[in-house]
C-alpha cells in the first residue's frame, strides 16, 4: 500500500523534539506533508532559527517515515525535510509587556566588571542575528557603557520620532546605548531613582519593533538596574558571564543568586577568557578553564559555552567591528555560534516549560 498523509503524520507523532520532550505533531511543528509519487516532503517549523537540534530531528524523521513505509509495505521513499523557523513568544505573564513586539527579553549580567559581559552580549546578539533571528541589543550598562564603541556607533547620530528613539542598525542588529544620549566623557554617577529612570527610558522609549530576542547588557554586580529591569519587563531569563578563576566564580555565584531571588530564570552561564592560544599554537588555561561549567553543574543551571581570549576579539571590540569575530578562524566561529545556539535552545525550553506550567481551564 502506498504511504498516505495519515501514515506520515502517524510516523511524525513518534518523533520527539529532543529538548522539548514532546512529538513534532503535538508541538505544532509539522507545517506541510507533500507526497509526490515516491518523494515525500515534510515541512518542519523550528522554535528558533538557531536550533542546534536540526540534524538530529532530520535523522529521526527519516527513520520514522522509512519505518512506516516498511510497515505498510511501500517501497522506501525519498524523504526531504524543509526547515523554517518561528520563535515562539514567552507565555503571557500576569502583567502585559510594555514591549509587545518583543518575544524574549534576556538580561546579561556578571558578578563584577571586566569579565567580558559586553563582549559576550555582543557575540550573542550578532551571532543570533547571523543565525537568522531578529535581535535587539541594549547597552543597559548605564554606569560604564562600552557597547557604542564595540558596535561601531561612535560616529552615528541618534534620531527620534517625538519621544521615541530609533534604534541604530548594525548588520541587521538593532541597538541602543546611553552613551549616544549623554556626554560619554562625564562619569555617569546616577543615584538609585535616576538610574531607574534613565534605564527605563532607554528600554521603553526605543522603537524596537518586532524582535525575537532583546539582549540587555546590564551593569556588573548586583545593583539597582537588574531590579529595575525585573520590575519593568517580563524577562525570559538571564545569562551570567564569568571568567573561570575561583575569585571570579564567587562573584558570579552571587549574580546567579541575585537573579534567582528576583525570580528571573538563569538560562545559563558563559565562560569568557577560558583559554588563550599563544603564537606557539599552545593553549594556555590562564584562569583555570572549566571552572564555570563546574559551577553551573553545582548550581544546576545550564552551561552555554566557553570563549577563549583572542587578541583579534579585543581589536574588533576597539574597532567596532563585531561581525569580524565570526571570521577569525573556523574553530572559534563554531564555538561562538554554538554558544548562541545553546542560548536560543534554552529560551525555547524555558518557553515550552512555562507554557506547560500555565493553568488551563476546562469548561465542559
Ligand atoms: P565587561 O563588560 O565585563 O566590563 P568587556 O566586555 O568590556 O567586559 O571586556 C573588557 C575588555 O576585555 C575589553 O577590552 C574587551 O575587548 C576585552 N575582552 C573581553 N573578552 C575578550 C576575549 N574573549 N578575547 C579578547 N579580549 C576580550
Amino acid at each position: 500500500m502506498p504511504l498516505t498523509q495519515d501514515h506520515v503524520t502517524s510516523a511524525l507523532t513518534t518523533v520527539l523534539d529532543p529538548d522539548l520532550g514532546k512529538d513534532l505533531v503535538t508541538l505544532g511543528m509539522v507545517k506541510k506533508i507533500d507526497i509526490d509519487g515516491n518523494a515525500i516532503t515534510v515541512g518542519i517549523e523550528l522554535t528558533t532559527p538557531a536550533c542546534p537540534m536540526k540534524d538530529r530531528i532530520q535523522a529521526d524523521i527519516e527513520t520514522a517515515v522509512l519505518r512506516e513505509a516498511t510497515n505498510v509495505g511501500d517501497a522506501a521513499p525519498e524523504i526531504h525535510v524543509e526547515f523554517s523557523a518561528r520563535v515562539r513568544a514567552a507565555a503571557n505573564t500576569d502583567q502585559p509587556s510594555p514591549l509587545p513586539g518583543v518575544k524574549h527579553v534576556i538580561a546579561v549580567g556578571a558578578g563584577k566588571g571586566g569579565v567580558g559581559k559586553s563582549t559576550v552580549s555582543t557575540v550573542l546578539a550578532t551571532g543570533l542575528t547571523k543565525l537568522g533571528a531578529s535581535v535587539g541589543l541594549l547597552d543597559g550598562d548605564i554606569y560604564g557603557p562600552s557597547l557604542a564603541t564595540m558596535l561601531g556607533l561612535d560616529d552615528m547620530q541618534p534620531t527620534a520620532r517625538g519621544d521615541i528613539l530609533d534604534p541604530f542598525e548594525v548588520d541587521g542588529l538593532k541597538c541602543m546605548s546611553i552613551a549616544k544620549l549623554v556626554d560619554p566623557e562625564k562619569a555617569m554617577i546616577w543615584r538609585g531613582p535616576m538610574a531607574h529612570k534613565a534605564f527605563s527610558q532607554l528600554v521603553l522609549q526605543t522603537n524596537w519593533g518586532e524582535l525575537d530576542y532583546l539582549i540587555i547588557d546590564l551593569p556588573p554586580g548586583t545593583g539597582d538596574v537588574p531590579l529595575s529591569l525585573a520590575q519593568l519587563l517580563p524577562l525570559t531569563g538571564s545569562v551570567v558571564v564569568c571568567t573561570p578563576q575561583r575569585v571570579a566564580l564567587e562573584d558570579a555565584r552571587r549574580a546567579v543568586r541575585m537573579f534567582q531571588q528576583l525570580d528571573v530564570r538563569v538560562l545559563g552561564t558563559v565562560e569568557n577568557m577560558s583559554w588563550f592560544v599563544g603564537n606557539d599554537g599552545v593553549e594556555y588555561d590562564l584562569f583555570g578553564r572549566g571552572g564555570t561549567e563546574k559551577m553551573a553543574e553545582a548550581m544546576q543551571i545550564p552551561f552555554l559555552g566557553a570563549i577563549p581570549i583572542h587578541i583579534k576579539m579585543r581589536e574588533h571590540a576597539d574597532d567596532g567591528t563585531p561581525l569580524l569575530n565570526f571570521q577569525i578562524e573556523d574553530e572559534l566561529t563554531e564555538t561562538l555560534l554554538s554558544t548562541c545556539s545553546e542560548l536560543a535552545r534554552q529560551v525555547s525550553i524555558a518557553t515550552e516549560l512555562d507554557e506547560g506550567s500555565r493553568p488551563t481551564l476546562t469548561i465542559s
Side-chain angles (χ1 to χ4, degrees):
M1 189 187 4
L3 272 184
T4 62
Q5 293 235 352
D6 284 349
H7 292 133
V8 178
T9 305
S10 149
L12 295 176
T13 58
T14 68
V15 178
L16 300 188
D17 180 294
D19 288 325
L20 308 181
K22 292 183 188 160
D23 71 84
L24 303 182
V25 177
T26 303
L27 287 167
M29 290 166 72
V30 181
K31 293 295 163 193
K32 170 171 107 173
I33 299 173
D34 277 350
I35 303 181
D36 183 5
N38 191 40
I40 296 178
T41 306
V42 178
I44 298 293
E45 186 182 73
L46 300 167
T47 55
T48 171
C51 180
M53 292 295 159
K54 229 181 201 171
D55 293 346
R56 169 139 174 224
I57 292 173
Q58 166 138 8
D60 289 353
I61 290 173
E62 287 169 1
T63 309
V65 175
L66 281 175
R67 194 190 310 120
E68 189 71 17
T70 312
N71 287 346
V72 301
D74 195 9
E78 203 181 288
I79 304 162
H80 305 279
V81 183
E82 288 175 0
F83 287 108
S84 58
R86 184 179 60 88
V87 175
R88 297 178 182 194
N92 282 334
T93 48
D94 297 339
Q95 96 236 58
S97 171
L99 297 176
V102 177
K103 291 179 182 166
H104 296 284
V105 181
I106 301 161
V108 180
K112 60 177 174 182
V115 298
K117 178 181 50 58
S118 300
T119 302
V120 172
S121 300
T122 306
V123 164
L124 293 173
T126 44
L128 286 168
T129 308
K130 234 176 123 55
L131 290 166
S134 50
V135 187
L137 174 57
L138 175 81
D139 188 356
D141 191 350
I142 54 172
Y143 305 102
S146 51
L147 281 188
T149 300
M150 287 189 183
L151 294 168
L153 308 181
D154 284 346
D155 297 329
M156 297 188 193
Q157 291 310 314
T159 57
R161 271 162 238 196
D163 281 349
I164 304 296
L165 291 158
D166 298 319
F168 297 93
E169 279 214 41
V170 178
D171 301 308
L173 169 69
K174 291 182 180 172
C175 35
M176 180 51 67
S177 168
I178 195 129
K180 299 305 301 176
L181 308 174
V182 296
D183 182 354
E185 294 297 317
K186 288 196 185 132
M188 290 177 202
I189 315 167
W190 310 96
R191 287 170 186 277
M194 273 168 77
H196 178 79
K197 192 154 178 244
F199 180 76
S200 311
Q201 283 187 336
L202 202 61
V203 181
L204 300 180
Q205 289 179 223
T206 298
N207 181 19
W208 296 108
E210 304 282 319
L211 292 181
D212 293 327
Y213 309 104
L214 173 61
I215 310 270
I216 301 189
D217 183 19
L218 293 177
T222 50
D224 291 333
V225 171
L227 185 61
S228 297
L229 178 59
Q231 289 167 345
L232 209 61
L233 291 174
L235 298 180
T236 300
S238 60
V239 173
V240 173
V241 179
C242 54
T243 50
Q245 67 274 46
R246 201 164 145 200
V247 285
L249 290 173
E250 279 159 20
D251 291 312
R253 235 177 249 117
R254 266 194 289 281
V256 170
R257 295 273 180 248
M258 170 195 70
F259 284 121
Q260 290 172 336
Q261 275 166 25
L262 293 173
D263 223 7
V264 173
R265 173 188 272 112
V266 179
L267 294 162
T269 56
V270 175
E271 179 162 291
N272 188 36
M273 310 193 188
S274 188
W275 72 96
F276 167 76
V277 185
N279 287 337
D280 49 8
V282 175
E283 291 188 2
Y284 296 91
D285 295 351
L286 294 180
F287 300 131
R289 180 174 179 167
T292 311
E293 191 166 4
K294 284 200 198 104
M295 177 194 81
E297 213 176 276
M299 296 186 89
Q300 296 183 311
I301 50 176
F303 176 66
L304 305 179
I307 299 174
I309 296 187
H310 200 295
I311 199 165
K312 286 221 156 64
M313 285 186 65
R314 199 273 308 146
E315 286 170 7
H316 296 154
D318 283 352
D319 295 346
T321 52
L323 262 191
L324 295 183
N325 285 335
F326 295 89
Q327 294 168 21
I328 299 170
E329 50 198 45
D330 290 351
E331 208 177 322
L332 181 57
T333 307
E334 216 171 282
T335 301
L336 299 180
L337 289 178
S338 113
T339 306
C340 300
S341 293
E342 210 40 51
L343 172 61
R345 178 178 173 210
Q346 292 303 331
V347 169
S348 294
I349 294 172
T351 308
E352 187 56 32
L353 283 177
D354 288 347
E355 186 71 34
S357 65
R358 257 163 71 189
T360 52
L361 191 64
T362 313
I363 300 169
S364 55

